[in-house]
Amino acid sequence: MILSFRNTSAVCAAFLLVSVSSFHKSAIANINNQSQIIAQQSKTQLNPVFKSILPKLKQKTQIRILLPKFIPESDGENPIYATIEAATQKKYDILLAYSPDCNGASACRLGVVTASAITRKTPSLTGKRVSLAKGITGYFVDFTCGAGCSDATLTWRQQGVQYVFGLKAGDRTSLVKMANSAINP
């Protein structure tokens, strides 16, 4: 009886050691996997559309640059180009177009991404209130059409800067998705 108890104890002790050892490795693997996932989520993904202009934009402006990771119609079928129309220390204007030499022409224009430092002369925000990421309130203004269609715009303020994203004949859902993709790094 004593012999079988010792054998059982030895087996249980071995099982316990293997289990604890496996649990420790599993816990480390789980922690490492979570760290990798968190690291991947925290990396800011730049939309390739902005890759060529970002160095010049960083060089020219001192305000926080927010660029959308999501741009409607940038699925690869039709190339989209970003062109800096203006960049100073306190503002930037970027044209989004289907042609690298669009110059804002209606036929090739997709929209705009702009930002400017808020001053006393900055007009009040108008439009329909929209909830954005991080508790930010944006203001949506729908497009109008005459001989051509204007941009629908979404404007918000964050850390002393006013951001405006516009899409030619765009919709509110796409603009909100664009804004949130810029607000959430």
Side-chain angles (χ1 to χ4, degrees):
M1 184 73 132
I2 294 175
L3 183 60
S4 68
F5 178 73
R6 284 184 183 167
N7 288 340
T8 305
S9 295
V11 170
C12 287
F15 179 77
L16 184 62
L17 286 174
V18 169
S19 296
V20 169
S21 174
S22 296
F23 174 76
H24 177 70
K25 289 177 185 173
S26 173
I28 290 172
N30 193 26
I31 289 169
N32 287 340
N33 187 34
Q34 286 177 351
S35 297
Q36 288 173 349
I37 290 169
I38 290 168
Q40 288 171 357
Q41 289 172 349
S42 67
K43 288 181 184 176
T44 302
Q45 297 284 333
L46 177 68
N47 188 305
V49 167
F50 301 108
K51 189 175 182 179
S52 66
I53 67 165
L54 188 58
K56 184 177 180 181
L57 197 58
K58 285 181 176 180
Q59 190 177 50
K60 296 267 186 180
T61 192
Q62 293 180 350
I63 60 174
R64 184 170 179 218
I65 299 169
L66 288 183
L67 301 173
K69 290 162 221 46
F70 167 78
I71 300 173
E73 301 183 38
S74 64
D75 56 9
E77 286 184 33
N78 300 311
I80 303 215
Y81 301 90
T83 307
I84 298 174
E85 291 193 309
T88 66
Q89 290 182 344
K90 303 270 184 201
K91 77 178 266 183
Y92 61 84
D93 297 327
I94 300 168
L95 173 67
L96 299 174
Y98 297 108
S99 165
D101 57 354
C102 179
N103 297 320
S106 184
C108 57
R109 174 188 175 84
L110 173 64
V112 294
V113 172
T114 70
S116 58
I118 299 169
T119 67
R120 287 185 213 148
K121 295 180 180 180
T122 304
S124 299
L125 297 175
T126 60
K128 293 180 183 176
R129 295 183 106 183
V130 176
S131 294
L132 300 175
K134 296 186 179 180
I136 296 170
T137 299
Y139 294 85
F140 173 77
V141 176
D142 210 351
F143 67 93
T144 58
C145 289
C149 292
S150 67
D151 287 356
T153 60
L154 183 61
T155 307
W156 75 95
R157 293 179 177 174
Q158 189 176 355
Q159 298 175 344
V161 179
Q162 180 167 294
Y163 297 94
V164 181
F165 288 0
L167 291 172
K168 179 181 170 187
D171 64 279
R172 186 170 104 177
T173 302
S174 294
L175 283 165
V176 168
K177 190 172 179 180
M178 266 179 87
N180 285 339
S181 76
I183 294 167
N184 282 324

